[in-house]
Amino acid sequence: MKPIAFVTDYGNDDEFAGVCRWVIELIAPGAKVIDLTHGIPPGDVRRGAFALAAAVPYGPEAIALGVVDPGVGTTRRPIAAAAGTGHLLVGPDNGLLSLALDELGGASAVVDLTESSFRLDPVSATFHGRDIFAPVAAHLARGATLADAGEPIDPLSLARLAEPRVVIHDDHVAAHVAYFDRFGNVLLDMLARQVPDGLRTLGTRLVVEAGADGREAVAASTFGDAVEGGMVVYENAIGRLAIAVNRGSARDALQIEVDDQVLIRAA
Amino acid sequence: MKPIAFVTDYGNDDEFAGVCRWVIELIAPGAKVIDLTHGIPPGDVRRGAFALAAAVPYGPEAIALGVVDPGVGTTRRPIAAAAGTGHLLVGPDNGLLSLALDELGGASAVVDLTESSFRLDPVSATFHGRDIFAPVAAHLARGATLADAGEPIDPLSLARLAEPRVVIHDDHVAAHVAYFDRFGNVLLDMLARQVPDGLRTLGTRLVVEAGADGREAVAASTFGDAVEGGMVVYENAIGRLAIAVNRGSARDALQIEVDDQVLIRAA
Amino acid sequence: MKPIAFVTDYGNDDEFAGVCRWVIELIAPGAKVIDLTHGIPPGDVRRGAFALAAAVPYGPEAIALGVVDPGVGTTRRPIAAAAGTGHLLVGPDNGLLSLALDELGGASAVVDLTESSFRLDPVSATFHGRDIFAPVAAHLARGATLADAGEPIDPLSLARLAEPRVVIHDDHVAAHVAYFDRFGNVLLDMLARQVPDGLRTLGTRLVVEAGADGREAVAASTFGDAVEGGMVVYENAIGRLAIAVNRGSARDALQIEVDDQVLIRAA
């Protein structure tokens, strides 16, 4: 059986993710569930999409089960998609799966699970993770095909996330805060390779502007390239442009929020 | 081997749950542990009981291992119980297992683990999860019987939770906050089917009173049945009466705490 | 395959630990990962070392994979070590593995993973959990030897944690806060067996001084040995001297922080 890679915004305190895991065990005894994370901020579809996209290039062929679903029970479609040589993805059609599908070269086939025969009976209005998505993922793990799971729909009809708006000049770039990680690192909605060479060369002195303030920083490869408390601008482990403070929090230092603009220029 | 469904208030930061998982692996190599949640609020036996009861109807026959045990090391009994056709439950006799046992039709047999031969030696005074409950669950997973695990006791002697106090009239109901979930949804100590039809019909306009204030709400099936920021009263995925704010937090909107009374009446 | 016991400071919200789990599944399909915890405070190497040391005596032979690594990408060495009859430990050489190695009788062999052939290619500068440590642990789980994993180095060259500074007198002891657990219990950098008998006898009335204040407490074996709200000084489940408040938080009661000094004397 393929493993099931599981990501949600259910958090680590309620039993939601656990109930889904138990449903999977009932339908596909012995199936392996690999928890990617259940700590996506509530309803933050984009953060969930980033998490899935960060993981799929590093794992084996699997069933990616994603549930960040603020529109549960409304008209948004529950879907399952095939991509790459053997990846399957299950979740709501709200953009959550879109970046992972991009990483895998796009969806080769998609089905609508609204009337899936794999649903639990009855289906609740508020817990489709338990009643639709986990059961479908479990049946797929057991070897069911997409065609068994639902009705074919056009891959081009899938919801997508809003495109990031970045500014790229020779002497400065501007992007927005996509998310923060636990260490207070600031992840921007821009890839490091989009940054002009003149700003990327290791050791280049930079200024990071968020709001009215400017902070000195250095183009670096890792946190320890700055003195303790010093700020670095770096390419993170999935190619994203990011800002950190060595043994500190760039989020706190810059006093910024998700979606705030950040400008990075030569010092 | 039956899987072990594991729920505690150990949290997700300390190594307590992890040490229990490792103890299980030592005694029952290859046993599957399904984490329901370890985020039960510290010592909140009732919340733990709700979590277990929400899960057992959806999983296969298993060993439910529950540790929410503020009285660890005192005279409360460690127990294991059998229920249904093949469920086993292990935990302290403080009500934690009671709602799941109810879901399964009651305990058919119970043993006291105080002198169980499956305990680790020595038994610490403060970590019975590691020293009693996890080892007993692991031995049961390997096929040991209840009789092997401890001394029989009367199922009717088990501790129970306090019964909820609800008020039910044709034009209003009153109940109390049982718990909140991560999304700020308010779960009441009342089942949705206890609510009179006149208040339950989808689309019925309601007023939710907590403390002095009243908030407009609508009887609905899911969050998206209200406008963004609107309040819904709904039956949650385990039949409980609940209150939510679409893309918001009912907990914050109502400014209430666990055990506070909530009155719901026709508008 | 030996199980992999996994402890990090990656937290429970980001996908870091999940990506490592998925990398392990790619390299060692079917390998069992036992999460000890991922909630070590960011960069708190000592807390991570305590967690590992608390777990290894209770589990089977395994591969302990630890990543608390504030110096990632700098000159600190990534290492793998053998200890006991068949334990293997993988992580940064910053003291994280040191206490577990002590529990196991010291390292019998250590290799430097800097140039390990098991690394992913390329190796990022900031995510060695994914790119070095998890892959090495996965290959070891599949049966690779330490010699396959890296270059031998002298076990005596490994980094160690600072030694605790304790004061021991017949009528008082002084130690420091090593960490807190979820329940607000205060764990000191001192073993219970270091405390003179006159202060340890159960029921002995004590005073706990932190800062200027003194709080009454009692030498006890478990929380319930005090009245609700009462303070106990006890030997915790891994032999450490600890302070708790029955159904409360000693951390809150004493208003102390990690590394603060605590003096315990006869009343």
Side-chain angles (χ1 to χ4, degrees):
Chain A
M1 282 195 287
K2 282 180 188 168
I4 295 172
F6 192 21
V7 57
T8 74
D9 65 349
Y10 286 154
N12 300 294
D13 292 340
D14 297 304
E15 70 276 11
F16 304 134
V19 172
C20 293
R21 282 188 283 258
W22 215 1
V23 165
I24 291 168
E25 179 69 14
L26 178 65
I27 295 169
K32 182 166 189 172
V33 176
I34 299 172
D35 293 298
L36 286 183
T37 176
H38 299 289
I40 300 298
D44 191 340
V45 172
R46 185 174 62 168
R47 179 69 186 93
F50 287 138
L52 264 175
V56 290
Y58 289 91
E61 289 177 0
I63 297 155
L65 170 59
V67 191
V68 180
D69 192 15
V72 60
T74 64
T75 56
R76 70 89 191 89
R77 299 176 295 194
I79 57 169
T85 50
H87 284 83
L88 296 167
L89 300 91
V90 179
D93 178 25
N94 59 11
L96 177 65
L97 309 179
S98 62
L99 301 184
L101 286 169
D102 290 349
E103 284 283 339
L104 297 168
S108 55
V110 184
V111 296
D112 182 331
L113 304 172
T114 303
E115 303 289 334
S116 177
S117 62
F118 296 150
R119 294 172 302 164
L120 297 193
D121 179 24
V123 172
S124 69
T126 55
F127 196 1
H128 287 187
R130 180 192 70 188
D131 299 340
I132 300 178
F133 299 120
V136 167
H139 282 281
L140 293 176
R142 287 187 62 185
T145 64
L146 270 199
D148 300 327
E151 289 299 308
I153 55 175
D154 182 355
L156 294 177
S157 72
L158 297 189
R160 295 199 59 81
L161 301 173
E163 292 291 323
R165 298 151 294 131
V166 300
V167 173
I168 301 173
H169 286 280
D170 279 353
D171 64 347
H172 74 275
V173 296
H176 299 80
V177 178
Y179 60 98
F180 305 101
D181 71 18
R182 183 190 205 205
F183 302 95
N185 302 327
V186 177
L187 294 308
L188 301 175
D189 60 352
M190 184 173 185
L191 298 178
R193 64 169 182 266
Q194 296 178 277
V195 178
D197 285 347
L199 296 172
R200 290 176 67 187
T201 307
L202 299 185
T204 303
R205 294 182 55 202
L206 303 168
V207 173
V208 174
E209 295 184 1
D213 291 337
R215 283 279 310 239
E216 291 182 15
V218 63
S221 64
T222 191
F223 317 121
D225 291 340
V227 296
E228 199 164 315
M231 185 173 286
V232 298
V233 175
Y234 67 108
E235 173 175 344
N236 91 336
I238 50 169
R240 190 170 289 284
L241 188 65
I243 308 168
V245 165
N246 186 26
R247 312 225 175 193
S249 164
R251 178 184 194 166
D252 292 347
L254 294 170
Q255 294 278 318
I256 47 180
E257 301 298 327
V258 167
D259 286 330
D260 282 358
Q261 179 173 289
V262 176
L263 187 145
I264 299 171
R265 60 174 172 84
Chain B
M1 281 194 288
K2 282 181 188 168
I4 296 172
F6 191 22
V7 56
T8 75
D9 66 349
Y10 287 153
N12 300 295
D13 291 341
D14 296 304
E15 70 275 12
F16 303 135
V19 171
C20 293
R21 282 188 284 260
W22 215 2
V23 165
I24 290 168
E25 179 69 15
L26 179 66
I27 295 170
K32 183 166 187 172
V33 176
I34 299 173
D35 293 297
L36 286 182
T37 176
H38 300 289
I40 301 298
D44 190 339
V45 172
R46 186 175 59 166
R47 178 69 186 93
F50 286 138
L52 263 176
V56 290
Y58 288 92
E61 289 178 359
I63 297 156
L65 169 60
V67 191
V68 180
D69 192 14
V72 59
T74 65
T75 57
R76 70 90 191 88
R77 299 177 296 193
I79 58 170
T85 50
H87 284 84
L88 296 167
L89 300 91
V90 179
D93 178 25
N94 59 12
L96 177 66
L97 309 179
S98 61
L99 301 183
L101 286 169
D102 291 349
E103 284 283 338
L104 296 168
S108 56
V110 185
V111 296
D112 182 331
L113 304 172
T114 304
E115 303 290 334
S116 177
S117 62
F118 295 149
R119 294 173 300 165
L120 299 193
D121 179 22
V123 172
S124 70
T126 55
F127 196 2
H128 287 187
R130 181 192 69 187
D131 298 339
I132 300 178
F133 299 120
V136 166
H139 282 281
L140 293 175
R142 289 188 61 184
T145 66
L146 271 199
D148 300 327
E151 289 299 309
I153 56 175
D154 182 355
L156 295 176
S157 72
L158 297 190
R160 294 200 59 81
L161 301 173
E163 290 292 324
R165 298 152 294 129
V166 299
V167 174
I168 302 173
H169 287 281
D170 279 352
D171 63 348
H172 74 276
V173 296
H176 298 81
V177 179
Y179 61 98
F180 306 101
D181 71 17
R182 183 190 203 205
F183 301 96
N185 302 326
V186 177
L187 295 307
L188 300 176
D189 60 352
M190 184 173 186
L191 297 178
R193 65 168 182 265
Q194 295 177 279
V195 177
D197 285 345
L199 297 172
R200 289 177 67 188
T201 307
L202 299 186
T204 303
R205 294 181 55 204
L206 303 169
V207 173
V208 175
E209 294 184 0
D213 292 336
R215 281 281 309 240
E216 292 183 14
V218 63
S221 63
T222 190
F223 317 121
D225 291 340
V227 298
E228 199 164 314
M231 186 173 284
V232 298
V233 176
Y234 68 108
E235 173 175 344
N236 90 337
I238 50 170
R240 190 170 289 284
L241 189 64
I243 308 167
V245 166
N246 186 24
R247 313 225 173 192
S249 164
R251 178 184 194 167
D252 291 346
L254 294 170
Q255 294 277 321
I256 46 181
E257 300 297 328
V258 168
D259 287 330
D260 282 357
Q261 179 173 291
V262 176
L263 187 145
I264 299 170
R265 61 176 173 81
Chain C
M1 283 194 288
K2 282 181 188 168
I4 295 172
F6 191 22
V7 56
T8 74
D9 65 349
Y10 287 153
N12 301 294
D13 292 341
D14 296 303
E15 69 275 11
F16 305 134
V19 172
C20 292
R21 284 189 282 259
W22 216 1
V23 165
I24 290 168
E25 179 69 14
L26 179 65
I27 295 170
K32 183 166 188 172
V33 175
I34 299 172
D35 292 299
L36 287 181
T37 176
H38 300 289
I40 301 299
D44 191 340
V45 171
R46 185 174 62 167
R47 178 70 186 91
F50 287 139
L52 264 175
V56 290
Y58 288 91
E61 288 178 0
I63 296 155
L65 169 60
V67 190
V68 181
D69 192 15
V72 59
T74 64
T75 56
R76 69 90 190 88
R77 298 177 296 193
I79 57 169
T85 50
H87 284 83
L88 296 167
L89 300 92
V90 179
D93 178 25
N94 59 11
L96 177 65
L97 309 179
S98 62
L99 301 183
L101 286 170
D102 289 350
E103 285 283 338
L104 297 168
S108 55
V110 185
V111 296
D112 183 330
L113 304 172
T114 304
E115 303 290 335
S116 177
S117 61
F118 296 150
R119 294 173 301 164
L120 299 193
D121 179 24
V123 172
S124 69
T126 55
F127 196 1
H128 287 187
R130 181 191 70 187
D131 298 340
I132 300 178
F133 298 121
V136 166
H139 282 281
L140 294 175
R142 289 187 62 183
T145 65
L146 271 201
D148 299 327
E151 289 300 308
I153 56 174
D154 182 355
L156 295 178
S157 72
L158 297 189
R160 294 199 59 82
L161 301 172
E163 290 292 323
R165 298 151 293 131
V166 300
V167 173
I168 302 172
H169 286 280
D170 280 352
D171 63 348
H172 74 275
V173 296
H176 299 80
V177 179
Y179 61 99
F180 305 101
D181 70 18
R182 183 189 204 206
F183 301 95
N185 302 326
V186 177
L187 294 308
L188 300 176
D189 60 351
M190 183 173 186
L191 298 178
R193 66 169 181 264
Q194 295 178 279
V195 178
D197 286 345
L199 296 172
R200 290 177 66 188
T201 307
L202 299 186
T204 302
R205 294 180 55 203
L206 303 169
V207 173
V208 175
E209 296 184 0
D213 292 337
R215 282 281 309 242
E216 291 184 15
V218 62
S221 64
T222 190
F223 317 121
D225 290 340
V227 296
E228 199 162 313
M231 185 173 285
V232 298
V233 175
Y234 67 109
E235 174 174 344
N236 91 337
I238 49 170
R240 190 170 290 283
L241 188 65
I243 308 169
V245 165
N246 187 25
R247 311 222 174 196
S249 165
R251 178 184 194 167
D252 291 346
L254 294 170
Q255 294 277 320
I256 46 180
E257 301 298 329
V258 167
D259 286 330
D260 282 357
Q261 179 173 290
V262 176
L263 187 146
I264 299 170
R265 61 175 172 82

